[in-house]
Amino acid sequence: MTASFTGGHSDPTVQPVPASVVRQVDAADTTLHNPKRAVISLGANLGNRLETLQGAIDALEDTPGVRVKAVSPVYETEPWGVEPGSQPSYFNAVVLLKTTLPPSSLLERAHAVEEAFHRVRDERWGARTLDVDIVAYADVVSDDPHLTLPHPRAHERAFVLAPWHDLDPEARLPGRGAVADLLDAVTHDGVTTRKDLELHLPE
């Protein structure tokens, strides 16, 4: 249920949406289609990590039916499940969306963004250009193996919980409780805020 975009490569799935369509989507988001709130986690540890995260944010914003509402600070994280020093560190961030897409379509879009950034899935804990994970979608709880909601490991990952808490201190992970409490219960080793770096809301 993860999802990738590397700037400068042509991919029809990540082309900009005309302004007229964006305006229509905005109107739909606020009135007709009852938009849902979604939480997306981004991570990259290959290439220009900051540029990749920003490109993924911009690609999500260019999706009809998706509006990026908030972007967290950048965190730097040591890779999980591998020998220390065997991979570059990750840059991680969380974005809050309003979307009229159902979860399955949002996942398809996440995968398309990953693929545009040349995400390779050769090994489970391998380095990657981009992860785009759906952490939570409204209050949906589902054990569908194609898309488990909320993300089955989000509650134990400081690199997800910390930036999410930065954006919304009152946030709750469906079925797990307050993000603040979950964050207090996990180790923060190897997860640090990069105050010198910044991601931006799409213009």
Side-chain angles (χ1 to χ4, degrees):
M1 69 162 272
T2 56
S4 310
F5 184 3
T6 301
H9 293 80
S10 176
D11 187 306
T13 66
V14 294
Q15 293 302 308
V17 179
S20 59
V21 175
V22 171
R23 285 193 293 271
Q24 292 170 10
V25 170
D26 280 337
D29 283 351
T30 57
T31 57
L32 301 179
H33 296 296
N34 187 26
K36 304 299 184 183
R37 179 184 173 96
V39 181
I40 304 291
S41 175
L42 305 176
N45 77 331
L46 293 177
N48 188 325
R49 297 165 293 172
L50 189 69
E51 183 178 285
T52 296
L53 295 188
Q54 186 64 59
I57 292 166
D58 294 342
L60 289 169
E61 175 71 13
D62 281 343
T63 305
V66 172
R67 294 278 72 79
V68 177
K69 307 304 290 187
V71 178
S72 78
V74 177
Y75 280 75
E76 188 162 16
T77 307
E78 292 302 314
W80 278 40
V82 299
E83 281 292 316
S86 64
Q87 290 184 21
S89 61
Y90 279 85
F91 283 176
N92 293 100
V94 163
V95 297
L96 302 183
L97 308 178
K98 287 292 187 70
T99 183
T100 59
L101 299 180
S104 59
S105 296
L106 186 60
L107 179 64
E108 289 177 4
R109 178 55 174 170
H111 284 162
V113 175
E114 282 189 340
E115 289 164 8
F117 280 104
H118 306 290
R119 164 68 184 271
V120 176
R121 301 175 185 275
D122 289 340
E123 53 183 309
R124 183 177 183 188
W125 300 112
R128 66 283 310 267
T129 53
L130 181 63
D131 270 337
V132 181
D133 286 337
I134 302 175
V135 176
Y137 182 100
D139 294 323
V140 174
V141 176
S142 169
D143 60 2
D144 184 336
H146 181 61
L147 175 56
T148 304
L149 290 171
H151 190 289
R153 291 174 295 281
H155 67 284
E156 59 191 27
R157 292 180 169 178
F159 63 83
V160 173
L161 299 171
W164 186 5
H165 184 262
D166 288 339
L167 289 181
D168 183 1
E170 304 301 320
R172 299 184 65 83
L173 185 65
R176 293 287 183 177
V179 168
D181 293 340
L182 296 171
L183 184 58
D184 285 343
V186 299
T187 178
H188 294 218
D189 292 347
V191 180
T192 57
T193 312
R194 288 294 304 267
K195 296 184 183 297
D196 57 318
L197 303 175
E198 188 176 0
L199 296 167
H200 304 280
L201 281 171
E203 296 181 359

